[in-house]
Amino acid sequence: MAQIQQEDRYNFGAKKFNMWIFIFTSFMFFAALSSGFIVYSGGKGHALSLILPHAFLYSTVIIAISSVTLFMASRFEKQSEIALQQLFLWITFALGIVFFVFQINGCHELITEGAYFVNPNASRSFIYVFVFAHLAHIVAALLVVLSTIINSYRNIDPVKNSYKMEMTSIFWHFLDIMWIYLYVFLLLNQY
């Protein structure tokens, strides 16, 4: 039994290391996109020249709240209050879906304003690249949250439940911070 737990801890450590590598590469990806935007928009006539849709502000508030609900789920998991952990995981999952919908709505608002993905000013195209790249990560994070929810109902070993909760938290909070950065970045460059 002790040997199995030792092997699990070793495997958990390797998986956690892989998660940090994934987060680092995702960070570098978004940093590269930000750099590309800065270089392109620094040229003559390439300013963003639009106001960001309100949907992006609302989604930013929603994703910040989802970080709080996931923190609460993690806290309840540590207190072995699984029912409350599950409740706050479901709330986080629902907020993630609402975030996704607001992001799509924000893109729709951009299209309504005439800011299409394909246009002479590629600075505007970067908005779509930022949003859809982040949404691809959000879809993956929603699947991770859903997996954690399912595992919490299976009465798995508390060590594994704690590990799943920790990995979910690392990934979700990273994406929350990344969107807040992207929103502020675009906000500062909107005109």
Side-chain angles (χ1 to χ4, degrees):
M1 181 74 171
Q3 186 178 16
I4 292 172
Q5 288 179 343
Q6 189 99 11
E7 288 176 20
D8 283 345
R9 284 194 187 123
Y10 176 76
N11 291 336
F12 290 164
K15 290 175 184 176
K16 191 184 294 186
F17 180 73
N18 287 339
M19 174 64 82
W20 284 112
I21 288 174
F22 175 76
I23 285 173
F24 178 74
T25 57
S26 295
F27 169 78
M28 294 305 294
F29 172 75
F30 284 108
L33 287 176
S34 299
S35 296
F37 176 87
I38 290 168
V39 169
Y40 182 82
S41 66
K44 187 175 182 183
H46 296 136
L48 201 51
S49 302
L50 62 78
I51 294 178
L52 292 177
H54 293 311
F56 289 162
L57 171 63
Y58 303 144
S59 66
T60 304
V61 171
I62 288 165
I63 205 161
I65 293 169
S66 76
S67 256
V68 173
T69 59
L70 189 63
F71 171 78
M72 294 303 294
S74 182
R75 189 175 207 178
F76 285 122
E77 178 276 322
K78 288 177 180 150
Q79 296 171 355
S80 297
E81 296 190 39
I82 303 305
L84 288 172
Q85 174 199 7
Q86 292 165 342
L87 171 66
F88 280 95
L89 280 170
W90 278 115
I91 293 170
T92 302
F93 185 79
L95 288 171
I97 295 200
V98 172
F99 172 83
F100 191 94
V101 169
F102 269 106
Q103 292 285 289
I104 298 300
N105 189 26
C107 289
H108 183 265
E109 286 181 43
L110 286 172
I111 291 167
T112 303
E113 292 176 17
Y116 301 103
F117 177 72
V118 178
N119 64 70
N121 182 359
S123 292
R124 292 180 174 187
S125 301
F126 270 96
I127 296 173
Y128 292 98
V129 174
F130 286 135
V131 168
F132 287 115
H134 188 263
L135 284 179
H137 285 76
I138 286 291
V139 168
L142 284 169
L143 292 173
V144 170
V145 171
L146 190 59
S147 171
T148 304
I149 291 169
I150 291 167
N151 281 330
S152 72
Y153 283 101
R154 290 185 178 160
N155 294 325
I156 62 171
D157 178 38
V159 173
K160 288 184 180 180
N161 187 29
S162 179
Y163 164 75
K164 288 287 286 180
M165 196 67 231
E166 184 179 1
M167 294 294 280
T168 303
S169 295
I170 290 169
F171 190 31
W172 192 265
H173 293 313
F174 165 72
L175 292 178
D176 292 358
I177 291 166
M178 186 53 61
W179 173 253
I180 291 168
Y181 157 75
L182 291 171
Y183 177 70
V184 170
F185 178 77
L186 290 171
L187 200 60
L188 293 174
N189 288 288
Q190 66 184 344
Y191 254 96

